[in-house]
C-alpha cells in the first residue's frame, strides 16, 4: 500500500486539480463485474452484459454500466494473414478476422429495446463497442455506421471503444493494412477511445502518454472526446514469490504513473487497468494460474486508493470541460465527418512493435513487447 505521506501528497494534488474542473471521472477495471469487489472504489463496468447483475450493481453500490454490444461484427468467412512475424499468433500466421454484421441495425434495435428500461433508470449510461475491433479487421466506416446509429436512437449515450496498441501507436492492424488515412478522424460519435499497451519498462506509461498527445488527440474532432488509458496489471502462467513481488512492485509504480498522467491531462476520463481476476496466491507468495491485480496486494491497494479519490471528487471534479456534448445530425439525419488536419508524426524508430517489415529492427525480447490478443 502507498505510504501515508505519498497518499496525502497525491490526494492534495488531486484536490487542487479537480477544484479547477480537471481530470479523472471514472474508475473501472477489466474483468471486474460484481459490486462486492468494486464497492467504494469503482464507478462503472463495461464488460457486464447481464442485465440482472447491472441492476444489482446499481442498486447496491451506485455502479453504472456501459453495455457491451457485440452484434455489429461477425467473423469473416475466411481467415486473414498477418505477414509481419511479431504480429503472428499462430504457426501459419492465419487468424480469425472481423467484418460488419449485415444485420447490425436489427441487432442494435433488439438490444436497445432490452436495455432502454435500464437506461431510463440511470443504471446504463452508454455502450462499449468492444476491444481491438479495428485491429482484427473492422473499418473506420464500420465504426461510424454503428456509432451513428446508436447516437440517433440514444443522443446522450457515452460510446466507448478500446483498441490494440498497434492501431493507436502505429496506425496499422494485424493484417498490416493502414487504418487512418491522411486527415481522417476517429469517428465523431466515439466519445471515449482507449488502447492497451503492456511493457515491463518505463515505456509502459511514457509510450501511451506520447501516443495520446501526438496520434489520438489530433484525431479527435470534438473538444469533449475523452481518452481511457489501459495499464498493465497481469501476467500469464505461474509466478514464483520473487516474480510475483516484482510484478506487484512494477504494477504499483505503473499505477502511480498513470494516475499522474490522468491528473495532468484533462482529456483522461478514467483509468481502466487490465485486469482484475487472477489465479491462486499461495502462502509463500507464489501464484499459479496467472496473476491479476486481485493477486497483487500493493498494486490492488493503489488502484483502490485511486478509485476512492475519484469517487470523493464527485461529479463536479471531472475532465468533462466542456461537459459531454455529443454531436447532433444535420437536417438530413447524417453526421458529416470533419477533417483532422494536424499532422501525425511517424512512430519513434525505437518502437520495434511498430515495424511493418520482417524482421523488426532492434526487436526486444518477447517479454518487453506489448502483449496482444488478450
Amino acid at each position: 500500500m502507498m505510504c501515508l505521506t505519498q497518499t496525502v501528497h497525491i490526494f492534495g494534488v488531486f484536490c487542487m486539480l479537480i477544484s479547477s474542473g480537471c481530470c479523472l471521472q471514472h474508475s473501472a477495471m477489466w474483468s471486474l463485474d460484481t459490486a462486492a469487489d468494486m464497492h467504494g472504489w469503482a464507478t462503472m463496468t463495461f464488460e457486464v452484459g447481464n442485465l440482472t447483475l447491472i441492476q444489482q450493481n446499481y442498486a447496491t453500490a451506485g455502479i453504472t454500466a456501459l453495455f457491451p454490444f457485440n452484434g455489429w461484427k461477425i467473423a469473416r468467412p475466411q481467415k486473414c494473414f498477418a505477414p509481419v512475424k511479431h504480429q503472428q499468433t499462430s504457426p501459419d500466421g492465419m487468424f480469425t478476422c472481423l467484418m460488419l454484421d449485415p444485420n447490425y441495425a436489427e441487432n442494435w434495435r433488439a438490444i436497445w429495446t432490452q436495455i432502454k428500461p435500464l437506461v431510463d433508470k440511470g443504471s446504463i449510461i452508454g455502450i462499449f463497442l468492444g476491444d481491438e475491433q479495428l485491429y482484427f479487421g473492422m473499418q473506420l466506416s464500420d465504426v461510424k455506421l454503428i456509432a451513428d446509429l446508436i447516437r440517433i436512437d440514444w443522443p446522450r449515450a457515452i460510446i466507448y471503444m478500446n483498441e490494440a496498441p498497434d492501431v493507436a501507436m502505429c496506425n496499422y492492424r494485424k493484417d498490416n493494412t493502414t487504418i487512418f488515412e491522411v486527415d481522417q478522424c476517429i469517428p465523431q460519435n466515439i466519445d471515449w477511445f482507449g488502447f492497451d499497451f503492456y511493457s515491463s519498462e518505463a515505456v509502459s506509461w511514457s509510450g501511451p502518454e506520447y501516443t495520446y498527445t501526438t496520434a489520438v488527440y489530433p484525431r479527435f474532432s470534438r473538444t469533449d472526446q475523452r481518452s481511457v488509458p489501459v495499464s498493465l496489471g497481469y501476467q500469464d502462467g505461474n509466478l514464483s514469490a520473487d516474480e510475483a513481488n516484482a510484478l506487484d512492485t512494477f504494477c504499483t509504480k505503473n499505477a502511480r504513473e498513470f494516475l499522474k498522467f490522468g491528473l495532468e491531462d484533462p482529456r483522461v476520463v478514467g483509468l481502466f487497468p487490465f485486469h482484475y481476476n487472477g489465479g491462486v496466491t499461495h502462502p509463500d507468495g507464489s501464484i499459479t494460474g496467472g496473476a491479476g491485480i486481485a493477486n497483487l496486494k500493493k498494486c490492488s491497494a493503489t488502484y483502490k486508493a485511486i478509485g476512492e479519490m475519484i469517487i470523493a471528487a464527485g461529479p463536479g471534479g471531472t475532465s468533462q470541460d466542456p461537459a459531454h456534448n455529443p454531436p447532433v445530425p444535420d437536417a438530413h439525419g447524417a453526421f458529416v465527418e470533419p477533417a483532422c488536419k494536424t499532422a501525425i508524426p511517424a512512430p519513434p524508430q525505437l518502437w520495434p512493435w511498430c515495424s511493418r517489415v520482417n524482421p523488426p529492427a532492434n526487436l526486444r525480447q518477447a517479454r518487453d513487447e506489448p502483449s496482444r490478443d488478450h
Side-chain angles (χ1 to χ4, degrees):
M1 183 176 292
M2 292 184 290
C3 71
L4 179 60
T5 302
Q6 291 170 318
T7 303
V8 170
H9 173 71
I10 291 176
F11 186 75
V13 172
F14 183 82
C15 290
M16 180 175 64
L17 287 169
I18 64 173
S19 66
S20 61
C22 173
C23 306
L24 300 165
Q25 183 182 14
H26 291 287
S27 171
M29 197 172 291
W30 293 79
S31 80
L32 190 63
D33 54 14
T34 61
D37 291 327
M38 296 183 283
H39 188 69
W41 64 275
T43 65
M44 68 163 42
T45 62
F46 54 92
E47 293 183 288
V48 176
N50 184 305
L51 297 182
T52 300
L53 182 55
I54 289 174
Q55 293 179 82
Q56 291 174 348
N57 288 339
Y58 187 65
T60 59
I63 294 167
T64 56
L66 301 178
F67 187 83
F69 175 56
N70 297 309
W72 62 292
K73 76 310 177 67
I74 57 173
R76 297 184 193 178
Q78 296 181 331
K79 289 189 174 183
C80 296
F81 177 63
V84 181
K85 295 293 185 184
H86 67 92
Q87 292 280 11
Q88 295 179 355
T89 50
S90 65
D92 61 1
M94 304 300 291
F95 66 97
T96 299
C97 47
L98 303 174
M99 59 179 283
L100 186 70
D101 188 328
N103 299 314
Y104 75 94
E106 293 86 348
N107 295 342
W108 161 247
R109 294 272 155 65
I111 287 295
W112 176 233
T113 299
Q114 293 180 36
I115 68 173
K116 192 174 186 307
L118 276 69
V119 172
D120 293 340
K121 293 177 180 178
S123 57
I124 296 179
I125 63 173
I127 294 294
F128 178 45
L129 290 178
D131 185 30
E132 302 185 348
Q133 310 302 310
L134 291 170
Y135 179 64
F136 281 104
M138 299 302 287
Q139 306 297 310
L140 284 170
S141 58
D142 301 330
V143 175
K144 175 177 171 55
L145 274 176
I146 189 59
D148 288 1
L149 179 63
I150 293 169
R151 184 71 70 205
I152 291 291
D153 286 338
W154 187 6
R156 298 299 302 173
I158 295 172
I159 304 174
Y160 165 48
M161 66 181 298
N162 190 70
E163 271 304 331
D166 320 72
V167 171
M169 305 176 91
C170 317
N171 192 24
Y172 77 131
R173 52 175 63 85
K174 192 175 177 72
D175 65 0
N176 206 23
T177 55
T178 298
I179 299 165
F180 295 94
E181 301 298 334
V182 175
D183 297 343
Q184 191 170 21
C185 307
I186 292 170
Q188 62 182 302
N189 275 315
I190 296 299
D191 298 296
W192 296 359
F193 179 88
F195 67 93
D196 44 78
F197 179 72
Y198 313 135
S199 171
S200 58
E201 298 178 346
V203 72
S204 177
W205 53 85
S206 64
E209 289 184 38
Y210 176 83
T211 300
Y212 280 110
T213 301
T214 63
V216 174
Y217 297 158
R219 292 188 171 113
F220 280 171
S221 60
R222 294 161 43 201
T223 58
D224 62 309
Q225 284 175 298
R226 294 292 180 256
S227 60
V228 185
V230 177
S231 52
L232 169 71
Y234 87 105
Q235 185 169 319
D236 291 328
N238 300 327
L239 286 72
S240 68
D242 288 343
E243 290 170 334
N245 183 64
L247 177 62
D248 195 3
T249 299
F250 180 80
C251 184
T252 303
K253 168 68 172 174
N254 203 38
R256 292 173 181 166
E257 292 292 341
F258 272 89
L259 172 62
K260 180 174 180 289
F261 174 34
L263 292 175
E264 293 175 346
D265 187 335
R267 289 207 171 203
V268 178
V269 72
L271 301 178
F272 293 4
F274 184 86
H275 56 78
Y276 182 73
N277 292 329
V280 178
T281 301
H282 300 283
D284 65 354
S286 64
I287 301 172
T288 55
I293 292 174
N295 300 104
L296 308 174
K297 292 183 179 180
K298 293 179 292 186
C299 189
S300 178
T302 301
Y303 276 117
K304 288 180 179 179
I306 291 170
E308 290 168 356
M309 289 190 289
I310 291 172
I311 290 174
T318 74
S319 63
Q320 302 295 295
D321 184 18
H324 181 224
N325 187 29
V328 295
D330 63 16
H332 304 287
F335 296 91
V336 179
E337 294 295 329
C340 292
K341 294 290 188 178
T342 303
I344 308 296
Q349 292 185 351
L350 293 177
W351 288 0
W353 55 88
C354 283
S355 176
R356 300 180 69 163
V357 297
N358 292 317
N362 302 319
L363 187 63
R364 299 178 183 179
Q365 295 179 6
R367 67 177 180 85
D368 292 325
E369 286 193 56
S371 298
R372 300 180 178 86
D373 305 354
H374 65 244

